[in-house]
Amino acid sequence: MAQGVFDVAVVGAGVVGCAIARRFAIDGARVLILERAHDVLDGASKGNSAILHTGFDAPEGSLELDCIRAGYAEYREIHARMNLPLDPCGALVLAWTEEQQAALPGLMAQAAANGVGDVEMLDHATLPALESQLAPEVRAGFRVPGEALIDPWSAAHAYLYQAIQHGAELRLRAELLTAERQAESWRLHASAGSFEAGLVVNAAGLWGDHVERILTGESWFQIRPRKGQFILYDKPAAALAGHILLPVPTKVTKGVVVCRTIFGNLLVGPTAEEQEEREDASVVPATLEALRQTGETILPALAGQEVTAFYAGLRPASEDKAYRIRADLERGLVTVGGIRSTGLSAALGIAQHVARLVGRAPGVARDWPEMPVLAQDGARDWQAPGNGGIVCHCELVTRREIAAAMEGPAPAQSLAGLKRRTRVTMGRCQGFYCSAELARLTEGRFTQPMLAGAVDDAG
Ligand SMILES: Cc1cc2nc3c(=O)[nH]c(=O)nc-3n(C[C@H](O)[C@H](O)[C@H](O)COP(=O)(O)OP(=O)(O)OC[C@H]3O[C@@H](n4cnc5c(N)ncnc54)[C@H](O)[C@@H]3O)c2cc1C
């Protein structure tokens, strides 16, 4: 028997699924979110560069560009209402070779054609005034003032919480296994039970083609995971770069970025490595060594800086660069696949596009979640009275923040989920000092208990 009847079932609670669920819930639909993992953001969305892209280098005239532009605009419009951080630091696109320098005017023209008209050419002489630590070999570049840094996890959590505030239901450990299309609706059989929904949105990221086959018996695209490895430097290194430092992009990748994080670290990465395996986000010492050298070529002062952590993310790339978004209204199915490397920026725009595809009239949000302030320069809870004391001294996470993350609309269900909600254990000691206390505080609260499944996979 179906456990519930819904207008829309969203399969996958990555940043894209959360944004789509939010849009439909605000627009008045009864929404179900099925997520196969113990907690949300367990796929591609758990490890990325956290840049809110303007779309300056997106393919001209593409759906990806439209979604990035719309997502970027909506994020900027709503972030303050939900306490979501935004560091409008801007980016510098840097040329290190003659060939890259020759490509700059074309890229600037592309930016203007993409609606990002405020880019500004910089020559060799101007660059040191903007970035004093840049290697002197840099030839030229241009500035994209609109590129910004955000928190990749609180944004997606905020979309999810707002969806739930508007009546959406989240089912975790609910992997879609089989599905039958009936006359007017779908019957979905998941590991957490069976459900009925008029419309299904496939937002299964790295498993998008697999879910497409469950729904229709075949898939019109194939996911080819593309791994990106990162080095995360300690907080003192963040002073070395004011802007997001980007290379001249190639057809395949945006290349290795050097930038601060909203949490006050500095990251170098990602790589772009195609692989078959959809869950192997391991890091490889030789690749990290090459990344370290690339970082030091850009910012020589990185040499000798301490490293906090390494991590990797998997992009849900497909055989085509384009987003794989398609609606089959007769079948009651919208596919949102292949959201490779810009999904964090585009998520809200993708959600708008999907709502338009199915002809849903835009609603007005009644409630707005108030997200915890985790950004390095924000007013943090440890500074406020009554916080219960600090548990994680590296990231200054309080007992009150941990308690809040285990309550609310979608309580953390694993250490990884708690990390993404609070930053606990994500600092210099990587949980060495606070794990025992955390195990005590979270005892009996997680569906994936800390000691049984203490895999450090938060990204
Ligand atoms: C290295 C790297 C750097 C990046 N940098 C940036 C950046 O700076 N800016 C930016 O905008 N974007 C960036 N991105 C891209 C962004 O992270 C992705 O586009 C985005 O996370 C894709 O989200 P998604 O929701 O489509 O997929 P996912 O996050 O993979 O979500 C899909 C969800 O579906 C669930 N699922 C799968 N199968 C089933 C099933 N059968 N039943 C139920 N649930 C299921 C999974 O568990 C998962 O939680 C980067 C990505 C990577 C990897």
Side-chain angles (χ1 to χ4, degrees):
M1 215 180 83
Q3 291 187 8
V5 180
F6 298 87
D7 298 318
V8 184
V10 178
V11 183
V15 64
V16 173
C18 291
I20 292 170
R22 166 186 179 269
R23 185 68 270 152
F24 276 110
I26 288 175
D27 296 348
R30 285 167 301 165
V31 177
L32 168 71
I33 308 156
L34 295 176
E35 169 53 54
R36 67 180 201 139
H38 280 265
D39 209 334
V40 301
L41 310 185
D42 194 62
S45 304
K46 76 179 166 198
N48 59 44
S49 317
I51 300 172
L52 185 70
H53 295 295
T54 53
F56 79 90
D57 59 345
E60 278 177 61
S62 64
L63 175 60
E64 180 179 9
L65 172 63
D66 289 348
C67 292
I68 295 174
R69 297 292 292 149
Y72 177 91
E74 188 173 348
Y75 184 88
R76 291 198 73 127
E77 187 188 317
I78 67 174
H79 77 96
R81 292 200 71 170
M82 301 201 267
N83 246 355
L84 294 173
L86 177 85
D87 177 351
C89 56
L92 303 183
V93 179
L94 301 170
W96 300 89
T97 64
E98 207 177 322
E99 196 187 349
Q100 289 173 356
Q101 191 171 1
L104 294 179
L107 279 167
M108 289 177 70
Q110 183 182 356
N114 285 359
V116 186
D118 56 353
V119 297
E120 167 198 356
M121 184 63 106
L122 304 164
D123 60 22
H124 177 76
T126 341
L127 281 163
L130 289 172
E131 288 292 344
S132 61
Q133 299 297 323
L134 265 184
E137 290 79 16
V138 68
R139 298 174 72 98
F142 63 88
R143 177 154 54 171
V144 191
E147 295 276 302
L149 297 169
I150 63 174
D151 173 350
W153 304 304
S154 66
H157 284 126
Y159 308 156
L160 174 69
Y161 296 173
Q162 200 174 23
I164 294 173
Q165 285 174 334
H166 288 78
E169 286 184 33
L170 169 68
R171 299 295 167 102
L172 296 169
R173 291 178 297 148
E175 177 173 358
L176 180 70
L177 300 171
T178 59
E180 296 140 35
R181 179 71 187 158
Q182 300 168 329
E184 298 279 307
S185 66
W186 286 94
R187 184 158 281 242
L188 304 170
H189 306 288
S191 47
S194 297
F195 307 89
E196 210 170 301
L199 177 77
V200 173
V201 180
N202 170 7
L206 290 159
W207 299 90
D209 52 350
H210 182 71
V211 166
E212 196 73 0
R213 276 190 286 276
I214 291 175
L215 293 163
T216 69
E218 59 189 351
S219 180
W220 51 283
F221 63 99
Q222 304 304 319
I223 292 296
R224 295 188 178 152
R226 196 176 297 146
K227 186 191 279 189
Q229 301 185 45
F230 292 92
I231 302 177
L232 191 71
Y233 285 86
D234 270 5
K235 300 197 175 189
L240 300 176
H243 295 80
I244 300 162
L245 305 178
L246 302 168
V248 169
T250 68
K251 281 199 166 59
V252 181
T253 170
K254 286 177 176 295
V256 171
V257 179
V258 177
C259 66
R260 288 183 279 116
T261 71
I262 202 88
F263 312 113
N265 295 81
L266 184 110
L267 67 76
V268 177
T271 55
E273 307 157 59
E274 301 228 345
Q275 63 179 41
E276 291 290 315
E277 181 48 55
R278 297 174 193 232
E279 288 181 291
D280 175 11
S282 56
V283 291
V284 178
T287 312
L288 295 173
E289 175 54 24
L291 258 187
R292 186 184 66 75
Q293 285 174 20
T294 304
E296 290 176 19
T297 311
I298 298 165
L299 289 180
L302 263 184
Q305 291 288 331
E306 300 284 339
V307 169
T308 299
F310 311 108
Y311 67 97
L314 299 177
R315 304 170 184 88
S318 75
E319 70 278 39
D320 193 319
K321 204 174 178 216
Y323 283 1
R324 315 296 264 166
I325 301 183
R326 184 155 103 177
D328 180 344
L329 296 187
E330 235 164 73
R331 233 179 196 163
L333 173 63
V334 180
T335 305
V336 184
I339 313 298
R340 343 158 252 98
S341 50
T342 48
L344 176 64
S345 312
L348 294 168
I350 292 171
Q352 292 175 23
H353 178 69
V354 169
R356 271 195 306 274
L357 284 177
V358 303
R360 194 100 207 166
V364 178
R366 295 186 306 271
D367 299 301
W368 293 87
E370 195 178 321
M371 301 307 290
V373 175
L374 303 176
Q376 174 82 353
D377 62 358
R380 298 282 312 273
D381 193 50
W382 65 270
Q383 297 160 312
N387 58 39
I390 294 171
V391 176
C392 167
H393 286 263
C394 299
E395 291 299 303
L396 300 168
V397 183
T398 68
R399 247 177 217 87
R400 179 165 60 192
E401 286 175 310
I402 291 167
M406 291 192 297
E407 289 160 7
Q413 296 297 338
S414 63
L415 175 60
L418 187 66
K419 289 167 74 164
R420 292 193 281 266
R421 284 172 182 78
T422 62
R423 295 207 43 75
V424 76
T425 78
M426 290 180 110
R428 184 70 170 102
C429 88
Q430 293 285 290
F432 184 85
Y433 289 105
C434 62
S435 288
E437 171 71 348
L438 270 180
R440 200 185 62 71
L441 288 174
T442 61
E443 197 179 350
R445 305 292 293 272
F446 291 161
T447 57
Q448 186 178 39
M450 244 182 97
L451 296 178
V455 179
D456 183 3
D457 66 348

